[in-house]
Amino acid sequence: EYMGSSGAGWRVALMEKDISTQQASVFSIVIHVDELSTSEPDPHRICVGLTEPGSTLDKLCPKQLLLTDCIWGIYLGSGKRIHKDKELKIVQGVKGFQTGDSIGMLIEMEKDKGTMSVYKNGKFQALAFRAMPTCLTPMVAMTGAGNQVTVTDFIVGENIFAGGDGNTK
């Protein structure tokens, strides 16, 4: 379901279909960390998140990493959010992912805005973004040799994380 390519040292996978309020109000995505390299100076350069529909790799991977205004994402090593051409403050609890971990993204959309929550191994970590657009494309990006992830679940219309933390519907 994902299209992959590279640019500016990053490997990016975009979901072939956009998600929007026309489909459902809830989307659950799970990404398994198959391999996380320990030989890189910064071995955790994996970003998960959402981008605007129709984004190109040139737009997603400019000269400076993934610093672009069309991404709502989180670096898993540092826990920093990225959006609007800058790295934002660290989201507490979103870091320390290792080989074998699962990354969960719960996207909840209302009529005119959406939110993204992040989960680690099924446990709530943080509400990462609020007031996002309501039509987006899920994406994963990584840099560094040896890093590999697999999208294991993409579920439309169901919150598969409900009941584990009291933070979701």
Side-chain angles (χ1 to χ4, degrees):
E1 291 187 15
Y2 276 73
M3 300 179 301
S5 192
S6 63
W10 285 88
R11 297 184 313 276
V12 179
L14 300 172
M15 187 161 198
E16 291 180 351
K17 295 180 182 178
D18 299 332
I19 59 173
S20 72
T21 53
Q22 293 177 350
Q23 297 165 304
S25 61
V26 177
F27 301 85
S28 299
I29 302 169
V30 178
I31 301 162
H32 185 263
V33 180
D34 299 321
E35 187 66 39
L36 198 56
S37 172
T38 57
S39 63
E40 298 292 319
D42 184 0
H44 300 104
R45 288 307 242 178
I46 297 176
C47 174
V48 297
L50 304 161
T51 187
E52 293 174 346
S55 293
T56 64
L57 291 173
D58 289 340
K59 189 173 183 182
L60 292 175
C61 298
K63 292 179 183 176
Q64 293 186 350
L65 306 175
L66 291 173
L67 301 181
T68 178
D69 62 355
C70 67
I71 288 179
W72 291 262
I74 295 188
Y75 288 122
L76 298 183
S78 66
K80 286 185 179 178
R81 294 181 297 157
I82 54 171
H83 181 57
K84 295 281 186 191
D85 291 328
K86 59 185 155 190
E87 291 185 6
L88 304 172
K89 69 180 181 177
I90 291 174
V91 179
Q92 296 300 318
V94 182
K95 60 182 176 179
F97 283 83
Q98 302 296 324
T99 298
D101 285 341
S102 291
I103 305 152
M105 290 189 297
L106 176 67
I107 297 99
E108 297 179 284
M109 295 187 173
E110 295 177 7
K111 182 178 174 183
D112 60 348
K113 64 183 176 188
T115 62
M116 181 175 84
S117 297
V118 178
Y119 291 76
K120 177 179 179 180
N121 300 323
K123 304 262 186 205
F124 176 77
Q125 301 296 297
L127 174 63
F129 290 100
R130 298 173 194 201
M132 297 184 310
T134 56
C135 184
L136 295 162
T137 303
M139 52 86 57
V140 177
M142 66 188 84
T143 188
N147 292 328
Q148 182 176 335
V149 299
T150 302
V151 177
T152 58
D153 293 293
F154 176 73
I155 300 169
V156 177
E158 184 181 348
N159 175 358
I160 63 172
F161 309 106
D165 62 275
N167 189 47
T168 58
K169 297 174 185 171

